Amino acid sequence: MRILKWLAASLVAVSLSTAARSQDIDWQKVDDAMGRKATVTGDVHRYGFPRTDLSVTLDGVAIKPALALGGWVAFKPAHGGVMAMGDLVLLETEINPVMLKLIEGGLEITAVHNHVLRASPATFYMHVGGHGDPAKMAAVIRDALLASKTPLTAPAAGSPPPIDLDTAQLDQIIGATGQNNGGVYQFAVPRRDPISEGGMQIAPVGPMGVAQAIGFQPTGSGKAAITGDFVLTANEVNPVIRALRSNGIEVTALHSHMLDEQPRLFFCHFWANDDAIKLARGLRAALDKAAVALN
């Protein structure tokens, strides 16, 4: 009982300490450095950098930015400043110029890879990390993005286009509640167990990029293009791959996004364009092979 009380008190202390650190940060300076307002979830400030300048097609589908072109950077208060994590969407010619600027500014490159196949033009994803002063890191990130054609003016706010799918049925099959993001119906399904990076718990998991991410983009007549990634431990990788492939869902990449997370995680990306309900059932079969939190 004493141990339980000590654990509860420790968790409260950590929560209060994190809240205090967040209040100490001048987030307006970070917003100014980024050139846009953050989306705030809990103590995480997330900045979106969608590649609205690109016209990317895949198997005849014009990809919406929210489906597979949504670059982002998130800051979470930590001892001595913030933990930064992000995923920048780049063309092949932009990779090295952006990377050089990030390295010069003291940020870490944690992965560079594809997420999808056959896209035209081909897009690549540079995962970044860092720890320290958020305004300084924000300035480095913005300066690095100047070496690409990533739009640095925040997109105009507006109502997203309607989702021409049976979203209630999708929610029921997946076992979570999705949301309309720019005309893409998105799910963020957390793992059951906590994830830490550098000894610090990564939460909330969705804004920090460590939830199972699933997006449905309507393609007409009840069909949808789907992509995203499963966040998996080593023993879950091949059961999930087999579940996806047996349901007609292509596996397009398997890799890491971070360097010293616990437990060790692998990100399994996928793609299909078919009947949305059929694909949802295939995705649910794959989710059932992983330790995730579903309704």
Side-chain angles (χ1 to χ4, degrees):
M1 181 64 70
R2 288 181 180 177
I3 292 175
L4 290 175
K5 287 182 178 178
W6 177 83
L7 285 173
S10 297
L11 288 172
V12 170
V14 169
S15 177
L16 291 173
S17 176
T18 300
R21 287 196 298 265
S22 183
Q23 291 174 357
D24 291 340
I25 295 169
D26 187 344
W27 289 108
Q28 186 58 54
K29 285 186 177 179
V30 185
D31 291 350
D32 292 343
M34 283 295 196
R36 63 199 60 208
K37 285 287 187 182
T39 298
V40 182
T41 307
D43 65 348
V44 172
H45 288 236
R46 176 168 165 140
Y47 299 85
F49 291 93
R51 291 303 300 260
T52 53
D53 60 310
L54 298 178
S55 297
V56 178
T57 58
L58 174 50
D59 295 347
V61 177
I63 301 298
K64 292 182 182 294
L67 184 67
L69 304 172
W72 59 274
V73 177
F75 293 140
K76 179 179 176 65
H79 180 69
V82 302
M83 169 197 291
M85 296 177 67
D87 183 8
L88 308 179
V89 183
L90 303 170
L91 296 175
E92 185 174 358
T93 55
E94 297 170 339
I95 292 172
N96 282 306
V98 170
M99 183 184 291
L100 181 60
K101 291 287 188 180
L102 292 169
I103 292 171
E104 289 174 344
L107 270 79
E108 293 184 336
I109 310 301
T110 61
V112 179
H113 45 227
N114 69 293
H115 285 178
V116 294
L117 303 173
R118 302 182 303 280
S120 179
T123 52
F124 297 85
Y125 302 80
M126 182 181 294
H127 295 264
V128 301
H131 186 277
D133 183 275
K136 290 180 179 177
M137 287 194 289
V140 170
I141 291 163
R142 184 175 172 84
D143 184 52
L145 288 175
L146 283 170
S148 73
K149 292 185 178 179
T150 303
L152 295 181
T153 301
S159 299
I163 302 292
D164 186 22
L165 298 170
D166 186 343
T167 56
Q169 191 169 4
L170 294 179
D171 289 352
Q172 182 180 21
I173 294 169
I174 296 295
T177 301
Q179 64 177 3
N180 183 349
N181 179 11
V184 176
Y185 199 62
Q186 293 182 332
F187 295 91
V189 180
R191 292 188 60 83
R192 286 200 298 264
D193 300 322
I195 300 165
S196 65
E197 170 82 0
M200 180 175 178
Q201 185 172 341
I202 302 175
V205 291
M208 296 295 284
V210 289
Q212 332 291 313
I214 298 171
F216 286 77
Q217 178 180 316
T219 54
S221 303
K223 295 177 65 177
I226 60 166
T227 193
D229 55 9
F230 284 75
V231 186
L232 306 170
T233 54
N235 63 309
E236 296 168 340
V237 168
N238 280 287
V240 166
I241 286 176
R242 286 192 289 269
L244 292 170
R245 294 302 297 131
S246 65
N247 283 279
I249 300 171
E250 181 181 10
V251 174
T252 58
L254 176 66
H255 46 227
S256 62
H257 287 181
M258 298 174 284
L259 298 178
D260 61 352
E261 76 280 4
Q262 292 295 328
R264 186 67 172 141
L265 297 174
F266 300 88
F267 292 75
C268 180
H269 296 260
F270 57 88
W271 166 265
N273 180 21
D274 204 339
D275 178 79
I277 301 304
K278 171 188 170 184
L279 293 177
R281 293 191 177 110
L283 290 166
R284 177 57 190 258
L287 287 168
D288 286 342
K289 301 296 184 181
V292 298
L294 295 171
N295 295 338

